[in-house]
Amino acid sequence: MLGAIIGDTVGSVYEFNNIKTTDFQLFSPRNNYTDDSIMTMAVAEWLLNDPQHGMDTLEASMVGFAQKYPCPMGGYGGGFHRWLFMPKSLGFGGERHPYNSWGNGAAMRCSACGWMFDTLEETERVAGLSAAITHNHPEGIKGAQSTAAAIFLARNGKSKEEIRNYISTKYGYNLNRTCNEIRPVYDWDSSCQGTVPEAMLAFFDSTDFESAIRLAVSLGGDSDTLACITGGIAEAFYKAIPDDIAVKIWGLISEDFKEILRKIEAQTSYRLPNILE
């Protein structure tokens, strides 16, 4: 999950200023984590604290994190912001309800689901729940489930081709493309269906964790979310984050994030880079 936060943070400065190359500065004084990382930690907290995975506790975690971090870099998406802060405006008498979103927010926040469970079936089931509280459109559900599934498969030693075949067969994404083919024509796309496959292709084309992040950002579009999804998968597969990148991100994230990551590490096979211990 630290990989997802790294991707989000590296991509944050290019979200509205796309860069179509892998040759760029990873960190600058302007880099910061966004709502992608905040909601990733909210879902992780939910999984840690509620073994029954109830929607009421997920809502409490997401709203609680948003209230603690109300103004992240780039802000919260319009529909999600209304869900978080203005439920009365949604016309449900002040109660929060899913709003049929297919946005990529469903996929960017689910990386903890890929680490918390012993079976692929449970991973996908709970990832679907993590999306459905807001993003209950079939594409929103699919985006979260496929991302969590890729992380589960990667952490359990499956090859890139095994992961590619599973995701493309079950979820129908076209994963028989390359970043070089996509980059010249890819543009802003906030949908799961226009983000998740591209984020996965950045992982498939990569040679290590850093190259995965660079490839994801180089595609353009919603770069922080693309790299967040890619980073979560790449971390699980490569099982190594360069020390300098790990130390840099550890210095940027809050103590809340660090506490949750340590708890995940204590309860699962997830491991933070040794240099941070």
Side-chain angles (χ1 to χ4, degrees):
M1 285 163 294
L2 191 65
I5 298 172
I6 291 168
D8 173 40
T9 303
V10 171
S12 63
V13 297
Y14 300 109
E15 180 180 10
F16 302 110
N17 185 27
N18 288 168
I19 183 168
K20 293 281 190 171
T21 176
T22 58
D23 184 14
F24 60 86
Q25 184 178 356
L26 284 180
F27 295 101
S28 74
R30 297 184 297 114
N31 286 88
N32 206 343
Y33 57 81
T34 77
D35 59 314
D36 296 22
S37 295
I38 295 168
M39 288 300 118
T40 293
M41 292 294 97
V43 170
E45 180 189 67
W46 168 60
L47 296 177
L48 286 166
N49 293 343
D50 180 13
Q52 302 304 314
H53 311 129
M55 291 294 94
D56 56 339
T57 53
L58 176 56
E59 178 181 323
S61 184
M62 292 168 71
V63 173
F65 264 83
Q67 290 174 342
K68 192 165 188 178
Y69 302 93
C71 300
M73 184 173 182
Y76 294 98
F80 189 55
H81 185 277
R82 288 190 294 274
W83 184 88
L84 285 169
F85 299 110
M86 298 177 286
K88 290 182 180 180
S89 70
L90 299 178
F92 297 121
E95 295 182 359
R96 294 179 180 86
H97 292 266
Y99 50 96
N100 201 38
S101 175
W102 35 250
N104 55 27
M108 57 77 166
R109 68 190 185 212
C110 72
S111 59
C113 299
W115 287 96
M116 289 294 291
F117 304 103
D118 295 329
T119 68
L120 182 56
E121 293 74 18
E122 186 69 355
T123 296
E124 291 172 315
R125 184 186 76 82
V126 179
L129 293 177
S130 77
I133 191 168
T134 52
H135 294 55
N136 59 327
H137 188 282
E139 292 292 346
I141 302 293
K142 184 168 78 171
Q145 289 180 322
S146 59
T147 299
I151 293 171
F152 178 91
L153 294 169
R155 75 174 174 89
N156 281 288
K158 299 300 183 183
S159 69
K160 287 185 178 181
E161 283 311 300
E162 288 174 313
I163 299 169
R164 189 196 307 264
N165 290 338
Y166 179 82
I167 299 298
S168 61
T169 299
K170 179 161 186 178
Y171 294 101
Y173 290 143
N174 178 8
L175 300 178
N176 294 313
R177 300 169 290 158
T178 68
C179 289
N180 286 340
E181 292 170 347
I182 296 166
R183 191 178 295 108
V185 296
Y186 187 72
D187 203 351
W188 181 271
D189 195 323
S190 62
S191 70
C192 273
Q193 57 269 37
T195 303
V196 175
E198 288 73 16
M200 291 186 178
L201 289 168
F203 158 65
F204 291 131
D205 280 4
S206 66
T207 56
D208 55 21
F209 177 82
E210 181 175 336
S211 72
I213 299 298
R214 289 185 177 278
L215 283 165
V217 172
S218 78
L219 294 179
D222 192 358
S223 57
D224 60 327
T225 300
L226 275 164
C228 179
I229 296 168
T230 301
I233 302 169
E235 178 187 23
F237 183 83
Y238 292 115
K239 299 176 175 59
I241 295 172
D243 287 350
D244 59 332
I245 296 177
V247 169
K248 181 67 175 180
I249 203 70
W250 201 249
L252 290 175
I253 63 176
S254 72
E255 289 301 319
D256 294 332
F257 290 16
K258 293 175 183 177
E259 181 180 0
I260 288 171
L261 289 167
R262 290 186 182 113
K263 287 181 178 178
I264 293 283
E265 182 178 45
Q267 296 186 26
T268 71
S269 62
Y270 180 76
R271 292 294 175 264
L272 289 164
N274 290 335
I275 196 170
L276 303 178
E277 296 179 357

